[in-house]
Amino acid sequence: MIDIELIRKTPDIVRESLRKRNMGESALDEVIAADEEWRKTLTEINQMRKERNELAREIANSNERERLISETKEIADSIAKKESDLKTIEEKRFSLLSRIPNIILPSVPYGKSDDDNVEIKRWGTVKTLDFEPKDHVDIGLALDLFDIERAAKVSGARFFYLKGDAVFLELALVRYAFDALLKEGFVPVIPPVLTREFALFGTGFLPFGEENIYRIKGEDLCLVGTAEVPLGAMHSNEIFSHKELPKYYAGFSTCFRTEAGAHGKDTKGIFRVHQFDKIEMFKYCLPEESESEHEKLLQTAERLYQGLGIPYRVVEVCSGELGASAAKKYDIEAFLPGQKEYREVVSCSNCLDYQARRLMIRYRSKEGDIKFVHTLNSTAIAIERTMVAILENYQQEDGSVLVPKALQQFMGKERIDK
RNA sequence: GCGGGGAUGGCCCAGGUGGUAAGGCGACAGCCUGCUAAGCUGUUGGCGCUUUGCGCCGCGUGGGUUCAAAUCCCACUCCCCGCGCCA
């Protein structure tokens, strides 16, 4: 949620931001109109309430009770009518406002699609193999690390059974990530994966991503697509002391996504699936620190992939590809020898106060006033995608896969083979 | 699921026989004091407007009764205690 004051006082900033996102500006004009109507109606109601209150006060000790009571009743009736109007207007105003995406930061490159993302860094050397690299599907099936056919029988397309060493590879990745993040001050968390709708609304996944969400029939519960949802909503309606900030959480959870609209993309293997596991980082911080925290968060994510020895590049996501909540976003893309391409494994966003406003997460400043915090989130390790990167980057000519050094202690072996 | 208790401003807590939110703590500002103490005064929920001010709303949420609801009635949510069920 952006600040309505921003719309009232500097609508051009909002307009410019919508333009950069390649979205229509009519949404903004509708909010402005609804806000004006709301204020006008509220002022009228306040005037009527004032009259009613004055009369009600008189009644207590008056000898004209009869007359005053009937007069007050009349006013009360017209107030009730007006109030129901106000409620309608208020709902409209809120719903329109909540559909305005976050303001984007000035440094964000303009663009329409992934192609316009700007590469800002490359790390690691892409090894030249003296054999034709296989993709993760072939490697995994040959080593019996997952069973996709039977998952399709049981659950449908885009599901998988993880088997054998893949199970321990997941556990090793989890332990590796938590150990590293613990050292950087993150509080490890395993959050609920079913949350109420407000948590998805608050983090900005609703109303923008409705079609991507699994819902529990007959209950106010949804399966989360990322731990960002429960980690962000965790402190909803709370007020931090400025001394508690910044606050870092690392949440490990299963993630559920319908992947509506992704038909035909990455249909094979475990790269794009309806259910996967992920460790997500989430920060609450002071507004003046969010930009530096964002850089720091990216570095933390980078170090995790450096530790695994996976070559990657960092791109700054262009304006048209930003999610609703993000004011700025970096992606880390790992190099996949099987696809000969860099593919997204990490998404690292600064949401400013957008989520905090929707979730009512505030802090008491040194000066004593209460303000909204800023929130940031980033993937730490997306287990399945990272597993894909490991399998493809560490594959050997004989079909086996070396275990990255950093994971060996947790795997108890140096190589995955038949 | 059943029974009992509870939800009031940043925090703690009073009010409960209907008449329009008291007090404490903390925080901030000022005063005083030759110490970062103590004391004194003020401010300290949200919103709107014609903005040194005026007003409205606000006691978990949503309804109802009433001229008037923190207070009475109904429904719901969450928390605590006990019982039941249970991995």
Side-chain angles (χ1 to χ4, degrees):
Chain A
M1 190 85 59
I2 61 171
D3 189 353
I4 186 83
E5 286 294 309
L6 207 58
I7 288 176
R8 286 178 189 163
K9 288 180 181 156
T10 53
D12 289 344
I13 292 178
V14 183
R15 204 173 292 281
E16 175 66 13
S17 184
L18 285 172
R19 211 176 286 141
K20 280 189 179 164
R21 283 178 183 269
N22 305 302
M23 294 177 67
E25 296 162 42
S26 59
L28 175 63
D29 296 319
E30 285 177 55
V31 176
I32 291 171
D35 184 48
E36 275 167 11
E37 197 186 354
W38 176 80
R39 287 195 282 176
K40 180 170 155 269
T41 310
L42 183 64
T43 303
E44 285 168 16
I45 287 178
N46 280 347
Q47 182 55 36
M48 288 156 82
R49 281 171 174 163
K50 182 188 171 190
E51 287 172 35
R52 181 203 56 194
N53 290 347
E54 282 169 352
L55 287 172
R57 260 189 290 266
E58 272 181 57
I59 289 169
N61 33 24
S62 163
N63 43 18
E64 285 186 281
R65 293 176 63 95
E66 295 293 304
R67 187 180 64 81
L68 289 174
I69 287 175
S70 76
E71 201 173 322
T72 310
K73 265 184 176 164
E74 268 175 50
I75 297 179
D77 280 353
S78 33
I79 290 176
K81 245 181 245 162
K82 209 67 172 181
E83 277 176 343
S84 102
D85 290 351
L86 183 73
K87 199 173 172 186
T88 311
I89 297 164
E90 210 158 40
E91 277 163 12
K92 186 177 162 201
R93 169 178 173 266
F94 180 80
S95 142
L96 288 167
L97 181 62
S98 70
R99 276 162 210 276
I100 304 280
N102 204 354
I103 300 300
I104 57 185
L105 288 173
S107 65
V108 173
Y110 173 78
K112 289 186 171 159
S113 74
D114 294 357
D115 302 335
D116 301 314
N117 292 348
V118 177
E119 181 178 313
I120 56 173
K121 177 178 183 178
R122 278 189 193 216
W123 182 92
T125 44
V126 174
K127 287 174 220 140
T128 43
L129 302 172
D130 43 4
F131 61 96
E132 187 54 31
K134 294 190 282 186
D135 71 16
H136 81 276
V137 183
D138 291 340
I139 301 166
L141 291 177
L143 293 171
D144 204 17
L145 296 175
F146 30 79
D147 188 336
I148 289 162
E149 277 182 32
R150 290 199 176 89
K153 173 175 73 182
V154 175
S155 303
R158 294 198 193 278
F159 284 94
F160 60 89
Y161 285 90
L162 228 48
K163 292 168 66 187
D165 277 334
V167 170
F168 298 110
L169 189 54
E170 159 147 4
L171 297 180
L173 282 166
V174 171
R175 188 70 217 199
Y176 162 73
F178 272 129
D179 277 4
L181 295 175
L182 203 58
K183 282 184 197 136
E184 299 207 25
F186 286 82
V187 177
V189 176
I190 296 181
V193 292
L194 283 166
T195 70
R196 298 193 165 148
E197 198 171 289
F198 89 89
L200 285 111
F201 174 86
T203 41
F205 290 94
L206 283 175
F208 307 100
E210 178 68 59
E211 53 320 314
N212 232 315
I213 294 163
Y214 287 106
R215 288 171 175 278
I216 303 297
K217 198 176 173 187
E219 294 198 58
D220 178 20
L221 284 173
C222 308
L223 283 159
V224 300
T226 162
E228 177 187 346
V229 174
L231 290 177
M234 185 158 62
H235 288 287
S236 56
N237 295 310
E238 292 183 23
I239 296 173
F240 288 105
S241 154
H242 64 89
K243 291 174 206 144
E244 296 174 83
L245 299 174
K247 202 156 186 102
Y248 295 0
Y249 288 105
F252 172 56
S253 82
T254 301
C255 306
F256 303 89
R257 301 183 181 181
T258 65
E259 293 295 343
H263 305 295
K265 266 197 238 165
D266 308 305
T267 49
K268 285 171 66 190
I270 61 172
F271 190 84
R272 187 183 299 276
V273 283
H274 291 309
Q275 176 192 331
F276 60 97
D277 292 337
K278 177 161 66 74
I279 295 159
E280 178 80 3
M281 303 181 278
F282 197 96
K283 292 183 173 182
Y284 298 89
C285 75
L286 299 173
E288 57 269 31
E289 290 173 353
S290 71
E291 291 199 44
S292 61
E293 287 292 347
H294 191 206
E295 300 302 316
K296 211 173 141 191
L297 191 57
L298 175 65
Q299 287 166 22
T300 300
E302 282 188 60
R303 271 198 292 278
L304 287 169
Y305 284 86
Q306 289 168 8
L308 293 173
I310 297 169
Y312 64 82
R313 65 173 188 172
V314 179
V315 300
E316 189 162 347
V317 176
C318 74
S319 58
E321 286 290 298
L322 282 181
S325 298
K328 181 175 178 176
K329 177 158 99 173
Y330 296 112
D331 277 357
I332 294 180
E333 299 177 341
F335 185 75
L336 302 185
Q339 296 191 20
K340 298 182 175 60
E341 269 191 280
Y342 285 96
R343 296 299 307 271
E344 178 184 336
V345 285
V346 165
S347 199
C348 176
S349 305
N350 182 357
C351 297
L352 307 178
D353 63 1
Y354 192 81
Q355 295 178 322
R357 277 180 192 283
R358 294 175 156 238
L359 291 164
M360 284 299 282
I361 307 169
R362 295 166 295 171
Y363 73 99
R364 183 171 282 269
S365 74
K366 224 176 283 180
E367 292 72 35
D369 44 354
I370 292 172
K371 296 192 257 194
F372 289 104
V373 300
H374 278 194
T375 60
L376 305 107
N377 66 83
S378 172
T379 317
I381 300 276
I383 303 286
E384 279 67 28
R385 288 200 174 182
T386 302
M387 210 176 275
V388 168
I390 291 172
L391 294 180
E392 295 197 8
N393 280 285
Y394 283 85
Q395 62 179 303
Q396 305 299 302
E397 190 162 17
D398 64 4
S400 69
V401 173
L402 294 180
V403 176
K405 267 234 156 43
L407 299 180
Q408 289 176 6
Q409 55 168 318
F410 305 119
M411 279 288 285
K413 57 165 74 177
E414 295 174 13
R415 182 188 291 270
I416 299 170
D417 50 23
K418 281 228 109 170

